[in-house]
Amino acid sequence: MSLVLERSRALQRRAEQLIPGGVDSPVRAFRSVGGDPPFVERAEGAYLFDADGNKYIDYFGSWGPMILGHAAAAVVEVVREAAGRSTSFGASTAAEAELAALIMQAVPSMQKLRFVSSGTEAVMSAIRVARAFTGRNRIIKFEGCYHGHSDALLVKAGSGVATLGIPGSAGIPLETTQFTTAIRYNDLEEVEQVFARHPGEVACIILEAVVGNAGTILPEPGYLQGLRDICTREGALLIFDEVMTGFRVALGGAQGLYGIVPDMTTLGKIIGGGLPVGAFGGRAEIMNMLAPLGPVYQAGTLSGNPLAMAAGIAVVSRLLAGGSDFYERLGDVTRRIAEGVATAAAQVGLPVYTAREGSMVTWFFQPGPVRDFEDAERSDTARFAAFHRGMLERGVWLPPSQYEAAFVSAAHGEVEIAATITAAEAVFAGL
Ligand code: KE4
């Protein structure tokens, strides 16, 4: 089968003249799966429509935000209305506290929070506050976890860094990453060793409690509680980067699902409903370090943007109203899709290891298990690329990397489940 992508190819050629690689974010370039990326013209519900009129079931959902499906009426309506009152003020609005309060209903560990315009900004700011609050510099992160592209965090990162197989990034002075220690996920002994090597120096541990940026990797029993206990004992802050898992794996995010109370949390994606929003927050005594109250400076022209706040309020309100029933249905649809694809692979004897938490899932092309990034890297990325291409040609658009999670939205239902499994059966038959 081949896809008609003439207009997308022409658009790609034009974009490449003006924008590096023709993309505003590297993972969109399809470098690890090959072929030309379709250019999207519009999206609705569970579907994307490209410049050549092709239609796809969407399994990356703008990399997480589109949990209600595309162009959800409630979201579009409030954004249109907000735009009519101007698109930005650079002054305080009631909507900011309204969205903050809604978020705190689901994530009570965030006693105070501040909005920014991306997950990267949220994490960068949270790290700065953690360092100021503890008076320490060292941060512990985990291989394969991605926390945005701020200098100190681009060490053995996941997502696009792993996708492109680059060690980190050029342009980052060693002095900037000298206080970043990246170790294996799911290994408490390695964490203990870092604290033994650097007594009194560790400001925080930051992690994706459920990893999505190495593909989906779940915390082993006791792991998160172990990190919580170590941070409490050592006076370091535990930061859950829930930019992806927040309002995704459960209403209360990974912290709600696993019953762990972090000292700080970062959010993004879903809380903006597809508009640029990030947030960082935590215990009030920590967040009160921020200017204008305290000595930590952090700012943003478009932070708390009225359109983004309106979209976030619409989405988070819907999720709060839907509660556990919403997430139960979403998880069940995802489970059926995950198992259907895995069964299709097993039927032709293809080793595929499925990892799923709620409505985020990854099919690793290997026997598994996948407990950390080293395991994930054993995947057959060439075969994943062939799978991705075959599914795309059959109208199913998966995230274009083995090291990403696929996302299911509330708009995915019986038709999409059946179509996805049928497509997978056809692709696997030819792999
Ligand atoms: P942004 O700056 O891209 O809004 O958020 C950075 C970030 C922080 N923390 C986690 C756990 C994240 O997953 C992300 C961003 N996720 C990737 C997808 N895996 C964004 C996609 C892209 O880079 O284009």
Side-chain angles (χ1 to χ4, degrees):
M1 290 184 79
S2 70
L3 215 45
V4 172
L5 290 175
E6 291 322 306
R7 239 178 85 63
S8 282
R9 285 200 183 95
L11 290 167
Q12 176 70 19
R13 280 193 297 275
R14 168 173 166 68
E16 283 170 352
Q17 303 302 312
L18 308 167
I19 303 168
V23 292
D24 288 316
S25 199
V27 74
R28 303 176 189 173
F30 274 37
R31 285 298 160 92
S32 75
V33 294
D36 293 307
F39 273 54
V40 175
E41 280 200 337
R42 68 182 183 89
E44 194 177 335
Y47 292 91
L48 296 163
F49 300 86
D50 75 10
D52 293 277
N54 301 306
K55 179 180 178 182
Y56 310 89
I57 301 173
D58 178 7
Y59 280 107
F60 57 104
S62 180
W63 302 95
M66 310 317 282
I67 194 166
L68 297 183
H70 287 287
V75 177
V76 173
E77 189 40 50
V78 294
V79 171
R80 276 208 180 100
E81 198 198 349
R85 297 195 295 272
S86 185
T87 50
S88 179
F89 311 123
S92 297
T93 65
E96 294 154 77
E98 187 180 345
L99 180 53
L102 290 170
I103 289 170
M104 291 167 180
Q105 282 185 44
V107 191
S109 69
M110 298 176 91
Q111 295 172 347
K112 279 202 174 174
L113 67 80
R114 179 169 281 178
F115 291 111
V116 292
S117 299
S118 70
T120 293
E121 268 191 277
V123 170
M124 180 177 72
S125 310
I127 295 290
R128 188 177 307 139
V129 173
R131 284 173 158 161
F133 182 77
T134 59
R136 304 175 183 179
N137 288 330
R138 186 158 296 281
I139 58 179
I140 295 174
K141 75 173 291 287
F142 298 92
E143 291 164 3
C145 287
Y146 177 73
H147 302 291
H149 64 89
S150 61
D151 284 358
L153 277 300
L154 273 183
V155 176
K156 296 184 183 175
S159 185
V161 178
T163 300
L164 299 176
I166 51 182
S169 172
I172 298 177
L174 277 180
E175 293 77 7
T176 313
T177 55
Q178 62 182 315
F179 296 115
T180 303
T181 301
I183 51 176
R184 205 169 75 79
Y185 177 77
N186 267 331
D187 184 334
L188 287 174
E189 187 41 45
E190 284 215 11
V191 177
E192 292 286 11
Q193 287 169 14
V194 176
F195 278 95
R197 277 200 309 273
H198 301 284
E201 294 176 28
V202 178
C204 63
I205 292 178
I206 182 165
L207 76 154
E208 298 177 58
V210 173
V211 182
N213 287 293
T216 305
I217 303 178
L218 306 188
E220 300 211 314
Y223 180 64
L224 299 178
Q225 187 57 54
L227 295 177
R228 175 65 278 169
D229 295 344
I230 292 170
C231 283
T232 303
R233 184 191 76 209
E234 298 287 342
L237 299 186
L238 179 61
I239 303 178
F240 272 16
D241 177 356
E242 297 225 44
V243 167
M244 183 184 288
T245 54
F247 293 96
R248 168 59 63 182
V249 297
L251 182 62
Q255 59 192 274
L257 194 62
Y258 285 89
I260 302 290
V261 181
D263 299 298
M264 296 185 80
T265 300
T266 54
L267 296 172
K269 297 181 190 276
I270 288 173
I271 65 164
L275 273 71
V277 180
F280 63 106
R283 300 202 319 258
E285 60 176 333
I286 300 171
M287 293 300 287
N288 287 341
M289 295 289 290
L290 277 164
L293 299 181
V296 179
Y297 192 72
Q298 177 278 330
T301 303
L302 298 175
S303 298
N305 171 272
L307 276 64
M309 295 295 103
I313 289 167
V315 172
V316 175
S317 301
R318 172 73 186 74
L319 298 176
L320 287 166
S324 54
D325 292 350
F326 175 92
Y327 285 93
E328 214 168 285
R329 177 196 173 275
L330 195 54
D332 186 54
V333 169
T334 309
R335 179 186 55 75
R336 292 169 57 198
I337 293 167
E339 290 174 358
V341 170
T343 303
Q347 279 165 349
V348 295
L350 265 178
V352 167
Y353 176 79
T354 305
R356 176 180 75 85
E357 187 75 270
S359 57
M360 58 191 270
V361 57
T362 299
W363 296 282
F364 289 101
F365 277 64
Q366 57 158 292
V370 177
R371 303 175 55 250
D372 55 35
F373 187 51
E374 198 179 318
D375 289 346
E377 283 192 300
R378 291 196 191 94
S379 302
D380 183 339
T381 51
R383 190 165 271 173
F384 174 84
F387 174 62
H388 183 275
R389 172 56 55 189
M391 293 294 271
L392 194 71
E393 288 168 353
R394 289 167 177 76
V396 179
W397 192 335
L398 298 170
S401 166
Q402 175 68 96
Y403 305 120
E404 293 287 357
F407 300 105
V408 175
S409 82
H412 290 69
E414 296 306 322
V415 168
E416 293 70 36
I417 294 170
T420 303
I421 294 169
T422 302
E425 287 164 347
V427 173
F428 285 133
L431 278 193

